């Protein structure tokens, strides 16, 4: 299949284009967060505690008077970083394991498959709490 044919299919797939436009918009918001956010995401305003949405705060404020929209805008960057790094880590660990199991076959495939089955048997939240307990609760753990 030629490259032009693949790109033509991609341009006509509504779901794919919606996802691409959404991700591009999310990246633009993450990059432009300092200029797009109407207020500081960390500035406390105890006179504006728990305000409903309005002209001054489009999504209202939280229990410390911080603007919710600004906090969402500034949170786009770390959220993208966490999701991309998670997918990259899965790719770096999963592809070699799958290649090793598929290429060698036999008992190597059985051992790798049982290890992966054991890891997948834990509920994800328990695994996340365990990893956070070992590494710390930081996004970068560094």
């Amino acid at each position: 299949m030629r490259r032009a044919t693949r790109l033509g299919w991609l341009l006509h797939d509504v779901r794919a284009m919606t996802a691409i436009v959404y991700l591009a918009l999310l990246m633009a918001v993450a990059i432009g967060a300092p200029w797009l956010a109407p207020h500081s995401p960390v500035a406390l305003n105890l006179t504006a505690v728990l305000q409903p949405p309005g002209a001054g705060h489009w999504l209202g404020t939280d229990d410390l008077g911080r603007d919710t929209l600004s906090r969402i805008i500034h949170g786009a960057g770390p959220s993208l970083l966490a999701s991309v790094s998670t997918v990259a880590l899965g790719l770096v660990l999963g592809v070699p394991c799958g290649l090793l199991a598929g290429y060698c076959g036999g008992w190597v495939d059985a051992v790798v498959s049982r290890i992966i089955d054991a890891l997948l048997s834990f509920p994800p939240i328990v695994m996340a709490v365990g990893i956070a307990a070992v590494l710390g609760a930081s996004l970068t753990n560094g």
Side-chain angles (χ1 to χ4, degrees):
M1 189 193 267
R2 290 189 352 242
R3 182 180 204 146
T5 307
R6 284 191 303 244
L7 289 178
W9 165 82
L10 183 65
L11 293 175
H12 295 312
D13 187 1
V14 175
R15 290 175 295 185
M17 287 308 299
T18 303
I20 289 171
V21 167
Y22 175 74
L23 287 175
L25 180 65
L26 191 60
M27 286 176 27
V29 168
I31 291 169
W35 301 284
L36 292 174
H39 302 283
S40 170
V42 295
L44 302 179
N45 184 1
L46 297 178
T47 61
V49 171
L50 296 174
Q51 284 189 347
H57 301 281
W58 288 4
L59 295 179
T61 61
D62 64 3
D63 57 340
L64 296 174
R66 299 173 295 194
D67 185 57
T68 304
L69 176 63
S70 298
R71 294 179 61 79
I72 291 172
I73 290 172
H74 278 276
S79 295
L80 281 174
L81 176 65
S83 60
V84 168
S85 63
T86 301
V87 170
L89 180 66
L91 184 72
V92 167
L93 295 177
V95 168
C97 286
L99 286 174
L100 178 71
Y103 182 74
C104 294
W107 67 271
V108 175
D109 182 20
V111 168
V112 170
S113 295
R114 294 306 75 82
I115 292 171
I116 298 302
D117 287 343
L119 288 175
L120 291 175
S121 69
F122 288 105
I125 191 70
V126 174
M127 183 75 78
V129 168
I131 291 171
V134 171
L135 298 178
S138 169
L139 183 61
T140 59
N141 293 318

